[in-house]
Structure formats: C-alpha cells, structure tokens
Amino acid sequence: MSNLSSIPGPIGIFDSGYGGLTILHGIRNLLPQYDYLYLGDNARAPYGTRSFDVVYEFTRQAVMKLFDMGCHIVILGCNTASAKALRTIQQNDLPQIDPQRRVLGIIRPTAEVIGSLTATRHVGILATEGTIRSESYTLEIQKLFPDITVSGVACPFWVPLVEYNECDSPGADYFVKKRIDQLMSLDPDIDAIILGCTHYPLLLPKILKYTPDGVRIVPQGDYVADSLKSYIERHPEMDKKCTRGGRVHYLTTENPDKFRESAQIFLHEPVEVESITL
C-alpha cells in the first residue's frame, strides 16, 4: 500500500500520444467544472505496435505518476492501453496501490452503447493494429450483445496522417477510402462503425465522405464523457475527491514545444505544458 494523499485532486487522463486530447475535449464539454491533468507519453508513442507487457508497464508508470500528482480517477484515453493494460491494473495493481482509486478505460463505454446504434447487428471497428489484434472490442461487445457480429480492420497510416496535419490532403483520401472499402467488403451488412482510435475523429470529414449511406460512424469522445458523468453521479464518494476549478494542466514526456504545436491540431487552443519523466 502506498502513501498516496487523500486530498481531492484533478481527474487524470492518460494517452500514449495526442489522440486522448479528443477524449479530454469530449469530457470537458460535458463536465467543464472539474480540474483535469492530461499526461501524454509522447516520447514513447506510438503504443499500437508494442507488446502487451511493454504497454502494461508504460501505462502503469503513467497511472502511478497521475496518482502521485493527486488524481483519484484516471481515464486511459488510449485504446491500446485500455485493450492491453486496463484489466491487469484494475485487478492486480489497484488493490495494492490504493483500493479507493479508480482507473477507467474507453472501450467499455463505447461497447455499452453500440447495441442501440445498430439495426442490422453487424458492427465494424477501425483501429490501430494493436487494438484490432487484441480483439478487445469484439470481446466487450459480444459479452454485452452476443447477437452482434463484429469485423475489424487496422488502419496503420491514419495516425501519422493526423499527427503530421495531413487530414485534408489527397493522400488522406486514398488511405481512408482504402480501409473503409476493406471493412465493408469484409461484411457489407455493417451499419455502424466504431472509430477505435482517438486520433480518428480528426479524419471525420474524409471518413464520412467514403462511408456508404446508412452506415453510422461512432467516435468515442461523447460516449466516454457520458459514461464518466454517469459513473461520478453513481459514486458521490469519488465526486468529492475531484477538485472543481475548470482548469487543465498538460504533461508530456516529450519536448513541450512539440507537444504545444501538435496539441493545437486537436484542441484549436493554446496550451500550457510541462515536460516530465516517467
């Protein structure tokens, strides 16, 4: 058991890179009153191609850092971390670190709503290679809705397109169309597609352009925000541990100037950021 403080603190949001900023954006829109601490492990990103053991270890380090900085709730705003590290941290680490703290992922909230968003009961996932290979979405969805058929396609070039600010380029059209066509050819009955990577909402105009009519696109940010709001309402004891000031502080393991520049692609506002080591 560690000597973590019981003093209220900000809500922590962790991602290996910048994509978690889309999750933060959704949460802040719905719950602007709370303080937030965002940590991007940008120096070691991307996590998508790394092994389960490495992702778990990196994620655990980040969670401990956010706990040490006063967070009582940490959201893994990263699909790869949610897929490869969340369960182990919840089951093995939290009971020893501090059973009163919470680490929440972003796959379950999306899985919970998908049943109400599909009529054909055929769902597609577009995500990184690591998330697709982990089959986390398939497992979560079929646990809740055994009648739903899930098909997934990895989109290896989509994250670089976003991070290099190429979302509007002709190259983006090629790569977006290619993966959507691939997914729809796997299962033409798909009527809802989950964007299983937090970068992908920035490609939404292109995704909508190449998605067949009648197919719904499901970004995660709003559903994760709704799920967090519901969680806090159901757990007033956790609500009391979250400070309210509407402030956001950003941490990165990379160069702060680089983070500041890239964060503007996602947030369209200047940010104050501090460099840390995990």
Side-chain angles (χ1 to χ4, degrees), residues 57-196:
E57 188 49 45
F58 287 0
T59 304
R60 188 184 182 282
Q61 290 168 5
V63 167
M64 285 306 300
K65 174 63 92 173
L66 288 167
F67 282 172
D68 286 340
M69 296 184 79
C71 301
H72 292 265
I73 298 176
V74 172
I75 314 288
L76 301 185
C78 171
N79 284 280
T80 305
S82 293
K84 294 183 173 182
L86 176 64
R87 200 170 296 270
T88 309
I89 288 172
Q90 286 176 333
Q91 293 177 352
N92 296 359
D93 296 314
L94 275 184
Q96 295 176 336
I97 297 165
D98 183 350
Q100 306 306 313
R101 303 211 176 209
R102 293 290 175 268
V103 179
L104 308 173
I106 59 173
I107 291 174
R108 177 102 188 174
T110 318
E112 285 173 347
V113 296
I114 201 66
S116 63
L117 303 178
T118 171
T120 63
R121 316 308 278 172
H122 288 254
V123 169
I125 315 287
L126 296 170
T128 63
E129 195 179 330
T131 300
I132 294 295
R133 198 174 284 171
S134 74
E135 296 193 333
S136 294
Y137 274 98
T138 306
L139 294 169
E140 284 294 340
I141 290 169
Q142 293 187 332
K143 219 185 287 176
L144 298 165
F145 308 104
D147 62 315
I148 291 181
T149 300
V150 183
S151 305
V153 165
C155 310
F157 291 103
W158 287 21
V159 167
L161 283 171
V162 172
E163 294 203 345
Y164 289 103
N165 212 2
E166 294 287 336
C167 293
D168 298 325
S169 69
D173 284 81
Y174 171 79
F175 287 114
V176 169
K177 183 178 187 304
K178 181 178 181 181
R179 297 307 176 192
I180 291 171
D181 288 351
Q182 184 184 346
L183 181 63
M184 295 309 297
S185 67
L186 274 181
D187 182 357
D189 292 328
I190 286 170
D191 71 346
I193 298 175
I194 294 172
L195 301 185

Side-chain angles (χ1 to χ4, degrees), residues 7-62:
I7 297 166
I11 294 172
I13 296 177
F14 164 68
D15 185 20
S16 57
Y18 301 102
L21 294 169
T22 63
I23 299 295
L24 172 64
H25 180 70
I27 291 173
R28 279 178 73 198
N29 275 351
L30 191 64
L31 302 165
Q33 68 272 33
Y34 294 102
D35 292 325
Y36 297 96
L37 186 57
Y38 182 90
L39 168 55
D41 187 12
N42 308 86
R44 301 189 293 196
Y47 281 14
T49 52
R50 293 184 183 272
S51 70
F52 271 75
D53 290 346
V54 169
V55 171
Y56 161 66
E57 188 49 45
F58 287 0
T59 304
R60 188 184 182 282
Q61 290 168 5

Side-chain angles (χ1 to χ4, degrees), residues 14-18 38-47 50 58 61-62 65 250-259 273-278:
F14 164 68
D15 185 20
S16 57
Y18 301 102
Y38 182 90
L39 168 55
D41 187 12
N42 308 86
R44 301 189 293 196
Y47 281 14
R50 293 184 183 272
F58 287 0
Q61 290 168 5
K65 174 63 92 173
Y250 298 90
L251 307 169
T252 178
T253 55
E254 244 281 9
N255 178 300
D257 293 333
K258 187 175 185 306
F259 183 94
V273 60
E274 176 189 340
S275 184
I276 58 152
T277 307
L278 293 179

